[in-house]
């Protein structure tokens, strides 16, 4: 469903991605883990071309996005994206946040868009918040509205860019719960996350990135449970038990 | 000298000067003549209702039509200023620099006299009202363009990214997502711009206006000449203040409210 081939991305002289290839099959859930600055967010943003790769190809649901002749707006309709900072539209209610792209992009009628919006807000457990504005919602609720907003477009794949990193710890569970349900429903998902328990439990495959390359890839039990690479082990020991990380020299 | 004593002397002398000036003014002023000339009740009464039905009405018409034209032009120039096509950016920057650098009077003279001279026989649609809207619009568009551009840039980048991720084109995302938020940000500064326009609308007299097209300032000037009395000018000034002071107050309130909301 997602095919990334030899992706390179540079910002000025800084090479953030140094040749990444990755496939995600239909219905597969892939979690990308790695230290900050490893390029995992950039990789995700290349999948819907929010960042244009310097080199390499991106193919999603049969459309090659890196082909200059492809209609990028049409291709993006099939790719849901959930951001770390939610990026809800603050001037619209939860319902209108979910409805606006259906109406303006998919040209659905007002009623149909509202119905689909309600269904999707219910799906993420927010049926009672349809008329609330983003500022009236908690971070966890905002992120769930953002998920509903993407789902309403009937995406073929969903991308999640550290969806719980900006949340208070007690709100993380609700968002992960929605994502878990989505995975069980068979959604193709590419998730950048620091939530190791979520990755271990939900992911079909875990990918460890460091320094702009894929270091290790495999089932969660292997990559998180028994990593082969030294870099993966160092990262995991830091993230799983921060208190015992040796002080930097 | 102790600090306390010095302060007493400095403050005391300042009050003394103030009181002395008031006493001298009050003693030398010709109160009868002042009252007769600046606050003449019969003359003031004679101004009604035309000061409202002609003067204030035309001032409001010139201001609002100029504001509308300026808003449309300002939005267009702001978008050009943010364009990825360099010639559009240059054009927008040049426009802003030129029209902010010229005196408003010159623009009015240009629209009122220069354009008819250059294109004899052709008319600016709407006559005097159209010309006034054009002149005020040309001037205010330059100021509003900068305000609107700042407003658009103040909308977080994530908003555009979220909209594009949903499959919206750049233009659609601008219209449905970014510009509505930008306008909320620029409402207070645009209210201030409206206050400036109320005052600049008085330059309409440089277009050459008929009796029925007189705005407050021209009305005050004419009536002062007619009655050989300054009261109409004072009354016209009061009419301006009735509009500008509440508007300015409103702009400051919107500004504080917005600053509070951003926290």
């Amino acid at each position: 469903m997602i095919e990334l081939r030899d992706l390179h991305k540079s910002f000025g002289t800084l090479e953030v991605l140094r040749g990444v290839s990755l496939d995600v099959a239909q219905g597969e859930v892939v979690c990308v883990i790695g230290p900050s600055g490893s390029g995992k967010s950039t990789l995700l943003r290349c999948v819907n071309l929010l960042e244009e790769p310097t080199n390499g190809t991106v193919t999603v649901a049969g459309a090659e996005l890196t082909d200059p002749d492809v209609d990028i707006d049409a291709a993006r309709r099939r790719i849901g994206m959930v951001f770390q900072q939610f990026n809800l539209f603050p001037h619209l209610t939860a319902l209108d946040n979910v409805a606006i792209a259906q109406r303006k992009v998919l040209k659905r009628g007002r009623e149909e868009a509202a119905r689909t919006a309600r269904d999707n807000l219910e799906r993420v457990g927010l049926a009672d918040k349809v008329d609330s504005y983003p500022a009236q919602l908690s971070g966890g609720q905002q992120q769930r509205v953002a998920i509903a907003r993407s789902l309403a477009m009937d995406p073929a794949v969903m991308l999640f860019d550290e969806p719980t990193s900006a949340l208070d710890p007690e709100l993380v569970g609700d968002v992960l719960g929605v994502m878990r349900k989505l995975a069980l429903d068979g959604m193709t998902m590419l998730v950048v996350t620091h939530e190791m328990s979520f990755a271990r439990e939900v992911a079909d495959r875990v990918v460890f990135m460091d320094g702009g390359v894929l270091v290790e890839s495999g089932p969660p039990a292997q990559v998180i449970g028994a990593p082969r690479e030294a870099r993966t082990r160092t990262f995991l020991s830091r993230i799983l038990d921060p208190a015992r990380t040796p002080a930097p020299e | 000298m102790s600090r306390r004593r010095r302060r007493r002397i400095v403050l005391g002398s300042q009050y003394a000067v103030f009181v002395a000036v008031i006493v001298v003014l009050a003693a030398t002023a010709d109160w009868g003549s002042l009252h007769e000339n600046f606050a003449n009740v019969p003359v003031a009464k004679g101004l009604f209702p035309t000061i409202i039905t002609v003067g204030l009405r035309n001032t409001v018409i010139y201001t609002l039509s100029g504001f509308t034209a300026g808003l449309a032009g300002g939005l267009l120039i702001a978008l050009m200023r943010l364009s990825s096509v360099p010639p559009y950016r240059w054009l927008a920057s040049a426009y802003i620099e030129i029209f902010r650098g010229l005196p408003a009077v010159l623009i009015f003279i240009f629209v009122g006299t220069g354009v008819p001279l250059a294109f004899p026989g052709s008319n600016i649609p709407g006559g005097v009202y159209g010309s006034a809207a054009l002149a005020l619009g040309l001037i205010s568009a330059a100021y509003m363009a900068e305000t609107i551009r700042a407003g658009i840039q103040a909308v977080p980048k994530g908003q555009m990214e979220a909209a594009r991720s949903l499959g919206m084109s750049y233009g659609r995302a601008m219209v449905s997502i970014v510009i509505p938020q930008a306008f909320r940000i620029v409402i207070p500064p645009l209210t201030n711009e409206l206050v400036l326009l109320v005052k600049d609308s008085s330059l309409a007299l440089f277009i050459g206006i008929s009796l029925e097209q007189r705005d407050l300032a021209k009305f005050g000037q004419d009536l002062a000449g007619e009655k050989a009395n300054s009261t109409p000018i004072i009354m016209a000034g009061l009419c301006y203040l009735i509009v500008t002071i509440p508007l300015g107050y409103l702009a400051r309130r919107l500004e504080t409210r917005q600053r509070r909301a951003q926290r």
Side-chain angles (χ1 to χ4, degrees):
Chain A
M1 192 54 86
I2 302 175
E3 290 166 32
L4 310 178
R5 288 283 168 276
D6 194 31
L7 281 190
H8 289 259
K9 174 68 186 176
S10 300
F11 295 104
T13 55
L14 182 69
E15 198 173 17
V16 180
L17 295 181
R18 300 189 296 167
V20 176
S21 296
L22 178 67
D23 284 352
V24 181
Q26 173 140 23
E28 197 182 16
V29 177
V30 174
C31 284
V32 183
I33 61 171
S36 56
S38 59
K40 53 193 194 305
S41 277
T42 306
L43 178 73
L44 198 76
R45 290 164 61 83
C46 280
V47 176
N48 70 350
L49 242 66
L50 276 184
E51 302 291 354
E52 204 165 333
T54 320
N55 239 317
T57 60
V58 176
T59 310
V60 180
E64 193 201 319
L65 275 69
T66 33
D67 176 356
D69 290 329
V70 104
D71 179 357
I72 187 69
D73 297 330
R76 279 185 180 136
R77 278 170 220 165
R78 312 292 324 276
I79 309 172
M81 175 91 169
V82 175
F83 298 87
Q84 185 177 350
Q85 298 295 340
F86 331 134
N87 294 348
L88 287 187
F89 306 133
H91 60 303
L92 302 176
T93 62
L95 186 84
D96 288 335
N97 261 280
V98 183
I100 188 162
Q102 296 182 59
R103 299 199 35 216
K104 305 292 182 189
V105 178
L106 301 181
K107 307 292 179 198
R108 287 181 185 157
R110 185 184 290 274
E111 304 229 320
E112 191 196 351
R115 197 171 348 104
T116 315
R118 266 176 228 283
D119 290 348
N120 279 291
L121 285 168
E122 199 182 323
R123 195 169 169 192
V124 299
L126 292 173
D128 55 333
K129 298 290 182 191
V130 286
D131 294 324
S132 303
Y133 283 89
Q136 299 166 318
L137 299 173
S138 74
Q141 291 168 335
Q142 289 190 49
Q143 192 60 297
R144 284 185 281 153
V145 174
I147 294 172
R149 176 173 71 175
S150 289
L151 290 178
M153 303 296 285
D154 304 322
V157 305
M158 286 283 286
L159 311 174
F160 293 85
D161 187 6
E162 301 196 32
T164 57
S165 296
L167 297 178
D168 291 334
E170 76 270 22
L171 303 175
V172 169
D174 291 339
V175 172
L176 292 182
V178 167
M179 291 168 63
R180 187 175 295 126
K181 214 167 70 183
L182 207 54
L184 288 175
D185 290 346
M187 178 62 76
T188 309
M189 293 162 64
L190 184 57
V191 186
V192 170
T193 186
H194 289 294
E195 301 289 338
M196 289 307 140
S197 52
F198 175 84
R200 193 176 303 183
E201 186 198 335
V202 179
D204 298 306
R205 196 147 50 94
V206 172
V207 172
F208 175 70
M209 262 186 94
D210 194 16
V213 293
L214 297 191
V215 176
E216 189 165 357
S217 165
Q222 182 223 308
V223 177
I224 299 175
R228 279 193 209 117
E229 301 286 330
R231 277 195 279 179
T232 318
R233 280 197 291 275
T234 314
F235 169 74
L236 285 170
S237 69
R238 279 197 185 139
I239 205 165
L240 294 175
D241 196 358
R244 284 177 59 185
T245 304
E249 281 125 44
Chain B
M1 208 186 293
S2 77
R3 240 181 23 208
R4 183 184 305 173
R5 206 167 142 220
R6 181 178 314 176
R7 219 181 75 198
R8 207 177 291 159
I9 290 173
V10 168
L11 267 181
S13 50
Q14 287 184 39
Y15 276 113
V17 169
F18 180 75
V19 170
V21 169
I22 297 287
V23 166
V24 169
L25 280 180
T28 55
D30 181 347
W31 286 108
S33 153
L34 279 178
H35 188 266
E36 173 71 26
N37 248 299
F38 290 106
N40 191 315
V41 176
V43 170
K45 276 189 179 157
L47 299 173
F48 288 93
T50 36
I51 191 170
I52 305 292
T53 56
V54 174
L56 184 61
R57 175 170 168 270
N58 281 322
T59 289
V60 169
I61 291 175
Y62 293 144
T63 304
L64 291 184
S65 57
F67 186 76
T68 311
L71 200 59
L75 180 60
L76 181 72
I77 296 163
L79 290 174
M80 284 170 66
R81 189 85 163 65
L82 295 168
S83 164
S84 52
V85 182
Y88 282 140
R89 288 205 300 273
W90 301 333
L91 215 62
S93 299
Y95 181 93
I96 291 167
E97 291 301 325
I98 289 169
F99 280 86
R100 288 205 307 189
L102 290 173
V105 176
L106 196 72
I107 313 290
F108 272 88
I109 294 172
F110 179 76
V111 170
T113 312
V115 174
L117 279 178
F119 308 100
S122 71
N123 276 319
I124 293 173
V128 165
Y129 289 105
S131 305
L134 177 65
L136 282 174
L138 284 172
I139 299 159
S140 58
Y143 290 91
M144 290 200 227
E146 281 297 81
T147 307
I148 295 171
R149 178 188 59 82
I152 289 174
Q153 285 180 327
V155 176
K157 219 177 100 220
Q159 293 291 311
M160 178 56 92
E161 289 185 351
R164 296 303 305 271
S165 298
L166 289 164
M168 291 189 197
S169 65
Y170 176 85
R172 168 50 66 192
M174 266 291 174
V175 170
S176 293
I177 305 299
V178 177
I179 290 176
Q181 293 181 56
F183 264 101
R184 243 154 256 224
I185 296 171
V186 299
I187 282 174
L190 286 189
T191 311
N192 278 320
E193 180 63 28
L194 188 60
V195 173
L196 295 179
L197 277 183
V198 171
K199 297 184 285 177
D200 279 352
S201 69
S202 61
L203 297 168
L205 68 93
F206 283 94
I207 298 174
I209 48 183
S210 74
L211 287 181
E212 284 306 303
Q213 294 162 335
R214 283 182 296 187
D215 73 307
L216 273 174
K218 178 72 172 144
F219 184 85
Q221 186 194 17
D222 286 0
L223 269 285
E226 226 168 87
K227 315 257 186 205
N229 189 289
S230 307
T231 308
I233 302 172
I234 301 288
M235 291 298 288
L238 286 176
C239 286
Y240 276 112
L241 293 178
I242 287 169
V243 177
T244 52
I245 290 177
L247 269 181
Y249 177 74
L250 178 73
R252 279 192 299 279
R253 277 208 38 184
L254 289 171
E255 219 164 297
T256 22
R257 219 181 62 179
Q258 198 170 67
R259 212 170 297 145
R260 218 176 300 136
Q262 272 166 6
R263 280 193 203 132

